[in-house]
């Protein structure tokens, strides 16, 4: 059974960098599929952030592209998200998920982790 | 602002049917597969429908999906109290080169 688990600080100060890691079990990242991040601000809808293939192809939401980096560590079977220069608007539950391909659906999701941006 | 538009809410009595629409354009729904996700309160989204109309293993056939042109529809028959949740459509947008989610619809069982 494929499982994803997000981890990282729950509180980040404004202007600093938000860093999250998603640990995958039950499937080897290097075997294929795309891996992505989605967020959900409190009381609002889902927002796609970025997706990448294990070998490097990446896609970013255009409104966040200048601040976001997604990367994969196949040796640890993990992938990560970095979002810099955060503001209160970046406060959200962040989910990691697996994607059949860039154009297809997200089939497995992590439980999500709340990140609050506040001083 | 999402490029996929859904009604904010729909409701029906137990046992009845509801449909949720998802309206897009030729750059997204019109030329790409649509998926649907169910998000129960406080829980991560779960894949409900993929490739417009397919159901993952374990999803009851009370849930159905369809697509026509630049719109997609999720149907739920035999409505149950456990179906009270938020539902989101999603697809790939070829112009944006990215995934897009719908605005979300809250289903209420009266």
């Amino acid at each position: 059974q494929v499982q994803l688990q997000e981890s990282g600080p729950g509180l980040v100060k404004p202007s600093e960098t938000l860093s999250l890691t998603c640990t995958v079990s039950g499937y080897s990242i290097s075997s294929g599929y795309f891996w992505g991040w989605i967020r959900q601000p409190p009381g609002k809808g889902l927002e796609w952030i970025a997706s990448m293939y294990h070998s490097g192809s990446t896609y970013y939401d255009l409104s966040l592209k200048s601040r976001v980096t997604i990367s994969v560590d196949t040796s640890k079977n993990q992938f990560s998200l970095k979002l810099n220069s955060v503001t209160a608007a970046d406060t959200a539950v962040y989910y990691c998920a697996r994607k059949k391909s860039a154009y297809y659906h997200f089939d497995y999701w992590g439980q999500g982790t709340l990140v609050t941006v506040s001083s | 602002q999402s490029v996929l538009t859904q009604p904010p809410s729909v409701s029906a009595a137990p046992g009845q049917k509801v449909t949720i629409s998802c309206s897009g354009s030729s750059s997204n729904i019109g030329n790409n597969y649509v998926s649907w996700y169910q998000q129960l309160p406080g829980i991560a989204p779960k894949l409900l429908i993929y490739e417009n109309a397919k159901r993952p293993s374990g999803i009851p056939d009370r849930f159905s999906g369809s697509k026509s042109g630049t719109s997609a529809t999720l149907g739920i028959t035999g409505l149950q109290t456990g179906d009270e949740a938020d539902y989101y459509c999603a697809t790939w947008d070829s112009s944006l080169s990215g995934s897009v989610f719908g605005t979300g619809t809250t289903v209420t069982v009266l």
Side-chain angles (χ1 to χ4, degrees):
Chain A
Q1 177 73 346
V2 180
Q3 293 185 316
L4 295 87
Q5 177 69 58
E6 305 88 350
S7 60
L11 181 64
V12 180
K13 290 182 168 56
S15 80
E16 295 190 345
T17 296
L18 179 159
S19 296
L20 295 174
T21 296
C22 183
T23 301
V24 180
S25 59
Y27 186 85
S28 173
I29 285 181
S30 58
S31 294
Y33 280 81
F34 271 70
W35 306 89
W37 291 94
I38 303 100
R39 70 181 182 180
Q40 185 171 36
K44 297 188 177 182
L46 300 172
E47 301 175 355
W48 172 75
I49 302 171
S51 299
M52 78 172 295
Y53 193 60
H54 70 89
S55 60
S57 298
T58 57
Y59 297 91
Y60 294 104
D61 176 83
L62 295 179
S63 68
L64 297 172
K65 187 174 183 178
S66 63
R67 299 195 292 130
V68 173
T69 302
I70 184 173
S71 59
V72 168
D73 186 339
T74 54
S75 67
K76 295 181 179 179
N77 219 36
Q78 296 175 333
F79 61 103
S80 300
L81 173 74
K82 290 188 185 300
L83 177 65
N84 58 36
S85 304
V86 297
T87 69
D90 295 309
T91 294
V93 174
Y94 285 76
Y95 297 100
C96 60
R98 189 182 81 164
K99 211 167 192 280
K100 179 179 177 180
S101 83
Y103 318 114
Y104 283 68
H105 52 277
F106 293 97
D107 57 359
Y108 288 96
W109 295 63
Q111 66 183 28
T113 186
L114 174 63
V115 179
T116 302
V117 178
S118 175
S119 55
Chain B
Q1 298 283 41
S2 176
V3 298
L4 302 181
T5 302
Q6 299 178 230
S9 64
V10 297
S11 61
Q16 297 300 303
K17 175 181 179 179
V18 295
T19 59
I20 300 171
S21 61
C22 176
S23 177
S25 68
S26 58
S27 67
N28 42 67
I29 291 178
N31 285 284
N32 293 286
Y33 284 125
V34 176
S35 53
W36 290 89
Y37 303 86
Q38 177 192 59
Q39 187 176 32
L40 296 169
I43 296 177
K46 179 176 77 172
L47 179 64
L48 208 57
I49 296 289
Y50 67 99
E51 293 178 17
N52 302 332
K54 296 178 180 179
R55 283 177 286 106
S57 174
I59 300 299
D61 59 7
R62 299 188 299 107
F63 296 91
S64 63
S66 63
K67 189 183 96 167
S68 178
T70 59
S71 293
T73 301
L74 173 71
I76 311 174
T77 59
L79 204 59
Q80 302 175 0
T81 55
D83 297 332
E84 288 199 325
D86 292 327
Y87 293 81
Y88 294 90
C89 59
T91 187
W92 179 261
D93 192 295
S94 304
S95 296
L96 301 174
S97 291
S99 296
V100 289
F101 284 94
T103 49
T105 299
T106 299
V107 169
T108 301
V109 181
L110 301 173

